[in-house]
Amino acid sequence: MTPSLPVPEVPDHRFPGLSGRTAVVVGGAGGGVGTACVALLVRSGAQVVVVDRDTGRTAQLAARYPEAVTAVVADVTTDKGIEEVGRAVAATSPCALVNVVGGVAPDEVGHFLDLTPAQWQHSLDTNLTYVMRTCQVVARRMSEARRPGSIVNLSVADARLAMPWFSFYGAARSGVEALTRTMAVELGPLGIRANTVAWGLVNSPRAHSGTGSDTDREQALIPLGRRGAVGEVAATVLFLLSGLGTYITGQCVVVDGGLSLRQSHYGPYHNIPEFLESEPARTRLRSVFERLLGHRTDGR
């Protein structure tokens, strides 16, 4: 039996320029960022083609929004799945595409020296190749319709740096960002924008549920002091798709509460460089930090 599909809480906002238009969300029935994007698109008056391989969840989403959502059950890592997307897109004139599919299973995490060709190929198929193919299908239809369009591909903030134990995943996600930048230049003359949204530590049912997490450590490491919500990532995606982002293309917007800004040698809590050798200076900076916050935060 298919579990009930949760629809995440999203901002109470209608994004301009989407009413009466059609958007395609690949990976929209997972209950996370993709589903939040669907909810915001529907709220903004758009018709949404939701592509997902989960038959039960996709049907639930279509039943929740019967006037706005068209369900397409397809595995976009396969030729057949891409053909299904092509048929669905051919019947409409999409103004937007969101690619959310991607990830890595816990049992896949491992050292680079143990990486197998099969694992590498699977990561490319799941995180990069399908993005290229769905973008081609939708962008061709946008070009045929001679109407402006916007594409947003989801990535992860960590892919901009090294990802120890996730070499295959980091490489694929970095590839998404590189591909999107080039798409922006080549598709720009056709009136099609392409951007990436890279998310950080976010509570998501299929990625990071937050169950059993060390909230104190998260507060110490994330400048904004908390995990993000999928609705916050989706709102960024909708901004780029909507009439609010019509002069933005080829960019990667990072939604991670500032986590990726801190270099590893800056300690948590107080951001004092670990290699600052003057103990009097360290003591003074720690005192300033504690004074500003009004209490001790380092547990000592």
Side-chain angles (χ1 to χ4, degrees):
M1 182 177 179
T2 302
S4 177
L5 173 68
V7 175
E9 182 178 347
V10 295
D12 184 14
H13 185 73
R14 291 175 61 90
F15 288 83
L18 295 168
S19 181
R21 309 291 300 279
T22 298
V24 180
V25 180
V26 180
V33 172
T35 305
C37 286
V38 173
L40 277 175
L41 283 163
V42 172
R43 176 172 291 174
S44 299
Q47 296 292 308
V48 189
V49 177
V50 176
V51 181
D52 202 286
R53 67 181 181 181
D54 191 314
T55 304
R57 286 174 174 264
T58 306
Q60 289 183 45
L61 197 56
R64 185 180 181 97
Y65 303 112
E67 304 299 322
V69 168
T70 299
V72 176
V73 178
D75 181 352
V76 291
T77 66
T78 67
D79 290 341
K80 182 180 179 181
I82 295 298
E83 290 170 1
E84 291 288 343
V85 174
R87 279 191 285 270
V89 168
T92 184
S93 295
C95 74
L97 167 66
V98 182
N99 278 311
V100 186
V101 174
V104 55
D107 60 357
E108 294 178 308
V109 179
H111 197 278
F112 168 74
L113 293 180
D114 296 325
L115 178 63
T116 67
Q119 186 180 13
W120 174 259
Q121 189 60 54
H122 175 71
S123 182
L124 293 180
D125 292 342
T126 305
N127 297 290
L128 177 58
T129 303
Y130 94 87
V131 172
M132 179 273 292
R133 300 189 72 184
T134 56
C135 285
Q136 279 189 328
V137 168
V138 176
R140 284 170 180 156
R141 183 65 187 127
M142 289 176 174
S143 178
E144 291 169 359
R146 297 184 180 277
R147 300 181 69 179
S150 179
I151 296 171
V152 175
N153 297 319
L154 273 293
S155 182
V156 291
D158 284 356
R160 317 200 95 195
L161 303 170
M163 291 188 69
W165 308 102
F166 295 83
S167 58
F168 52 96
Y169 182 58
R173 287 305 203 182
S174 296
V176 169
E177 295 185 24
L179 174 66
T180 304
R181 286 192 295 269
T182 300
M183 285 169 47
V185 175
E186 295 194 356
L187 298 178
L190 303 177
I192 301 171
R193 297 181 295 109
N195 293 286
T196 310
V197 170
W199 55 328
L201 190 57
V202 173
N203 283 326
S204 179
R206 290 193 175 184
H208 302 285
S209 66
T211 304
S213 63
D214 187 340
T215 56
D216 289 339
R217 182 166 176 77
E218 289 174 7
Q219 290 176 359
L221 293 174
I222 302 173
L224 290 186
R226 62 174 177 83
R227 286 188 179 213
V230 293
E232 293 174 304
V233 180
T236 305
V237 172
L238 265 287
F239 170 80
L240 292 170
L241 295 179
S242 74
L244 299 174
T246 52
Y247 202 54
I248 302 172
T249 195
Q251 304 304 306
C252 179
V253 181
V254 178
V255 186
D256 71 347
L259 178 60
S260 60
L261 297 176
R262 176 188 282 121
Q263 298 186 63
S264 60
H265 63 275
Y266 281 81
Y269 307 103
H270 42 56
N271 299 314
I272 299 174
E274 295 296 330
F275 303 116
L276 180 60
E277 297 179 356
S278 170
E279 187 54 38
R282 297 180 66 86
T283 300
R284 177 172 55 81
L285 295 180
R286 189 179 299 113
S287 175
V288 170
F289 182 83
E290 292 165 358
R291 173 177 57 80
L292 293 173
L293 265 65
H295 57 82
R296 296 189 67 87
T297 60
D298 59 5
R300 291 179 291 184

